[in-house]
Amino acid sequence: MTASSEPVPMTKVLIYGGKTGWIGGMLHDLMKKNYADVEVVLGSSRLENRADVEKELDEVKPTHVLNAAGITGRPNIDWCEDHKPETVRTNVIGTLNCSDICSMKNIHCTVYATGCIFKYDDAHPLGSGIGFTEESLPNFSDSWYSETKGYMEQMLKEYPTSLILRVRMPISDDLFHRNFVTKIAKYDRIVNIPNSMTVLTEMLPASIGMATTGLTGVYNFTNPGVISHNEVMDLYTKHIDPTYTYSNFTVEEQAKVIKAGRSNNELDTTKFMRDLPEGIVINDIKTAVDLCFQRMKVNLTTLGWLPDNLPAEFKRN
C-alpha cells in the first residue's frame, strides 16, 4: 500500500521486544539518538496476553507501535521444532494480537517479520536474479519457524494499519550472537548460497521513515541484490580476522546436522526502493556488507577485541 495522504505525526512510540530483544533494542537506541522529540516507551506486556496489550496501549496511547518481539530459538531455529506451542503462542498469537488491537485503535504498527518463507524454485531459480515479490505466496515450510511465519503473514496483511517488513539474515556492526555473521563464523562448515540479507544499520532507519510516512502492507526488507555465505566470510577475513578459514558443505550434508531446513532465496526489492522516503540511502547488499565490516572493525578495535584479542569461539585452531 502507499502512504496515507495525511499520516499521523510520530510523537510517541511503543516498542515491543525492546527490553530483551536484539532488533527491538537497536530500535530503542536509534529512536533515542535520532528522534529526540519523540517519546519512546518500551512495552512490558507479553503479546500473547491480549488483555494486557490492550490495557498497555490504552495507557501509553502511542501514535506508532514497533513490534520486534518474537522467538527465533536458541541457539537457532532448531529450538522451535521441539517447542511448537511456545513458538505459535509468541510468533503467531502474540503478533496477531498486537496488529489486531492496533487496527481496532487505528494505531500504525510496524511488524519486523521474516522473508525466510521462500526457497528457490522453478519460477525463481538460483542465480537468475528473479526475486520473490510481495505478492508471492510462501513456498517454504521445512522449519516450524518459517511455516508459522508464512501462515501469519497471510493474516497480518489484512490489517490496514500494519506495515510488515520481511527481514532476512540480519547483519549488524558487531559480533552480537544474533548477527548472521556471528552465527556462521562459529560454524566449522558453511553452505555457499546467494541470499537476500538485511544490513540493520542501513535498514532500521528506513523502517522508521516508512512508519513516519504511514506506509502499510508487506515489503521485502532487504538490501538490493544477493550475497553468498562465502562472500560474507571473505569480507570478514579481509576486515576482521585475516587468519580465519572456513570450508563448505552441501545443503544435503547440512541437513544431516540440523533439525529444521534453512530458507535460501532472493527477494525483489523494487517496491521497497520505490517507496523509500526521501533522504534515505540504501546500498546494494555487497556494498552494504563491506561497509558494515568496516564499521565492525572500528567497533571491535574500540572494544579491545582487535587486532589480536578476539574471543576463542571465533578463532580457528
Side-chain angles (χ1 to χ4, degrees):
M1 302 179 189
T2 57
S4 168
S5 57
E6 293 185 8
V8 175
M10 180 181 284
T11 59
K12 194 172 190 179
V13 171
L14 178 62
I15 302 176
Y16 284 110
K19 285 190 173 181
T20 59
W22 176 41
I23 290 179
M26 292 180 70
L27 287 167
H28 174 262
D29 294 344
L30 178 64
M31 292 296 304
K32 285 294 198 180
K33 179 181 178 181
N34 295 341
Y35 294 84
D37 57 337
V38 177
E39 184 178 355
V40 181
V41 179
L42 293 177
S44 58
S45 301
R46 296 193 65 83
L47 295 183
E48 61 263 37
N49 299 327
R50 185 181 178 91
D52 292 348
V53 176
E54 187 160 13
K55 180 181 178 183
E56 185 164 45
L57 286 169
D58 286 340
E59 290 176 347
V60 174
K61 294 181 172 56
T63 57
H64 294 74
V65 168
L66 304 179
N67 180 12
I71 289 177
T72 56
R74 293 193 180 186
N76 52 51
I77 62 168
D78 285 349
W79 180 92
C80 300
E81 300 299 307
D82 298 321
H83 300 82
K84 290 186 175 181
E86 297 95 320
T87 303
V88 171
R89 196 172 298 126
T90 300
N91 290 355
V92 179
I93 297 172
T95 303
L96 288 172
N97 272 343
C98 186
S99 284
D100 185 51
I101 298 169
C102 284
S103 179
M104 292 170 61
K105 299 180 182 298
N106 199 31
I107 300 170
H108 189 280
C109 179
T110 302
V111 182
Y112 295 84
T114 183
C116 292
I117 54 177
F118 301 103
K119 62 181 177 181
Y120 289 114
D121 61 15
D122 290 342
H124 310 83
L126 174 66
S128 68
I130 302 172
F132 292 90
T133 70
E134 285 77 5
E135 289 70 40
S136 300
L137 294 176
N139 70 346
F140 179 77
S141 58
D142 293 349
S143 75
W144 184 241
Y145 171 83
S146 291
E147 185 173 358
T148 57
K149 289 286 191 175
Y151 295 151
M152 184 186 64
E153 184 185 279
Q154 300 310 301
M155 295 178 276
L156 272 181
K157 66 184 183 181
E158 300 304 323
Y159 288 107
T161 62
S162 282
L163 170 64
I164 303 111
L165 303 178
R166 292 174 174 167
V167 178
R168 287 211 77 235
M169 298 178 171
I171 298 174
S172 57
D173 300 351
D174 51 31
L175 287 176
F176 189 78
H177 68 276
R178 293 293 190 188
N179 184 354
F180 173 74
V181 172
T182 305
K183 292 179 179 180
I184 65 173
K186 294 180 180 180
Y187 294 155
D188 292 328
R189 296 182 295 170
I190 59 174
V191 295
N192 184 35
I193 302 176
N195 271 279
S196 289
M197 300 185 190
T198 304
V199 176
L200 295 173
T201 301
E202 293 191 5
M203 299 293 284
L204 291 186
S207 72
I208 305 300
M210 295 168 78
T212 301
T213 55
L215 289 173
T216 57
V218 178
Y219 281 85
N220 289 333
F221 196 64
T222 60
N223 294 78
V226 293
I227 188 169
S228 70
H229 295 58
N230 282 15
E231 288 174 307
V232 171
M233 296 319 296
D234 287 346
L235 288 170
Y236 176 87
T237 303
K238 174 184 176 182
H239 292 291
I240 307 301
D241 183 6
T243 70
Y244 182 86
T245 60
Y246 63 87
S247 60
N248 292 128
F249 64 163
T250 66
V251 172
E252 292 74 22
E253 290 171 324
Q254 181 194 47
K256 296 176 182 179
V257 297
I258 56 178
K259 288 186 177 181
R262 301 297 194 260
S263 164
N264 294 290
N265 68 61
E266 177 174 354
L267 300 181
D268 186 307
T269 56
T270 302
K271 177 183 175 184
F272 167 67
M273 296 299 289
R274 181 197 71 199
D275 292 351
L276 266 182
E278 289 185 17
I280 295 177
V281 177
I282 299 296
N283 288 295
D284 69 90
I285 188 60
K286 294 183 181 182
T287 301
V289 173
D290 193 305
L291 292 172
C292 180
F293 277 119
Q294 292 179 42
R295 294 188 297 268
M296 185 187 294
K297 183 175 183 178
V298 173
N299 293 338
L300 296 182
T301 300
T302 301
L303 191 62
W305 286 15
L306 293 181
D308 54 10
N309 198 34
L310 280 171
E313 60 192 307
F314 294 103
K315 303 298 289 185
R316 289 286 187 258
N317 294 327

